Amino acid sequence: MNYEIILVFIYSYFLGSIPFGLILTKIFLDQDIRNIGSGNIGTTNVLRTGNKFAAFLTLLLDFLKGVCTVLIIKHFFAQDAVQLSAFCALVGHCFPIWLRFRGGKGVATFLGVAIALSFILGVICCLVWLLVALIRRMSSLASLVSSLSAPIAAIFLGQPNSFVLLSILTVIVFFRHQQNISRIIKGVEPKIGTTE
C-alpha cells in the first residue's frame, strides 16, 4: 500500500505543479509572468499581459490538470487515494518545487479537482464563481466565495467525505489569497481587467 501512496503523491503533485501560466507567457510573449503585475503565475495575472488567448489557455490547462489528475487516480485506485490525489494536485499548483514553492493561488485547479470529485458539486462551484465575478467584478472575491461554497455544497449533496477534503482545500485557497483578502477588506482590491 505504501508504494501506491508514494505513486499517487508523486504523480499528483508533479502534474499539479506544471506552471502553465509561466510556460504560456514565455511562449506567447517571451516574458516571465513573475515580473508582470502581481507576479502570480495564474490566469488573472496572465490576463494583465493583454494576451487574452494566453490567459484562456492558462485557465483551461490549470483547470484540466485538476480534472485529469483526480480522474485518472479515480479510475485505478480507491477513494482514499483519490482524496490524496486531489490534495496533492492543489498543493503542487500552489507550492511547486520548480518555482521555490511560489505558485498560483489554486482556483482553476481547485475547480478542476471539485468537478472531478463530483460533477454536480463542481458545476455549482463554477456557477458561484461566475455569478460573483459578474456582480462584483473581482476575481479574488469570486474565487474565495466559490471555494467556500464547495464544502457547503458537499454537505447538501450528502457527500461527507468530500466535505472534509474540500474544507482543507478551501483553507489552502484562502491562505494563498491573504493579500487579496486584506485588499478586499480595505476596499482597494482591483477589478477584473485592471492592473494591481
Side-chain angles (χ1 to χ4, degrees):
M1 180 60 184
N2 288 336
Y3 82 90
E4 289 185 353
I5 292 175
I6 294 170
L7 178 62
V8 170
F9 171 81
I10 292 174
Y11 161 77
S12 304
Y13 176 84
F14 286 104
L15 187 58
S17 70
I18 300 173
F20 286 114
L22 180 66
I23 294 169
L24 290 167
T25 49
K26 189 65 177 175
I27 292 173
F28 286 101
L29 303 168
D30 195 26
Q31 295 184 55
D32 189 331
I33 189 63
R34 294 170 294 181
N35 298 324
I36 299 170
S38 65
N40 191 267
I41 64 169
T43 302
T44 302
N45 201 41
V46 175
L47 187 59
R48 294 189 178 103
T49 67
N51 192 316
K52 294 181 180 179
F53 183 64
F56 169 75
L57 283 181
T58 301
L59 174 64
L60 179 63
L61 292 172
D62 281 347
F63 174 79
L64 287 177
K65 73 182 180 184
V67 174
C68 294
T69 300
V70 175
L71 285 184
I72 290 173
I73 294 299
K74 207 173 189 179
H75 183 74
F76 292 104
F77 295 90
Q79 183 61 29
D80 287 348
V82 172
Q83 298 222 348
L84 175 64
S85 175
F87 173 78
C88 291
L90 187 68
V91 170
H93 176 81
C94 295
F95 309 103
I97 191 170
W98 333 103
L99 305 180
R100 298 181 181 179
F101 305 104
R102 297 174 184 174
K105 295 183 179 179
V107 182
T109 304
F110 178 95
L111 293 174
V113 163
I115 212 163
L117 290 171
S118 167
F119 182 76
I120 296 175
L121 189 149
V123 169
I124 290 172
C125 293
C126 290
L127 290 175
V128 169
W129 189 97
L130 186 60
L131 182 63
V132 176
L134 288 173
I135 294 173
R136 298 302 304 273
R137 294 189 61 245
M138 279 190 282
S139 176
S140 57
L141 182 61
S143 301
L144 292 166
V145 176
S146 176
S147 65
L148 192 59
S149 73
I152 296 172
I155 289 295
F156 281 98
L157 292 172
Q159 300 176 13
N161 290 335
S162 293
F163 168 78
V164 176
L165 170 65
L166 291 168
S167 296
I168 294 170
L169 299 186
T170 297
V171 170
I172 295 173
V173 170
F174 269 67
F175 175 79
R176 294 293 292 131
H177 281 80
Q178 290 178 80
Q179 293 181 352
N180 301 90
I181 293 170
S182 177
R183 289 194 296 266
I184 290 170
I185 293 172
K186 293 175 183 176
V188 295
E189 177 71 352
K191 303 287 186 179
I192 293 173
T194 62
T195 57
E196 289 191 331

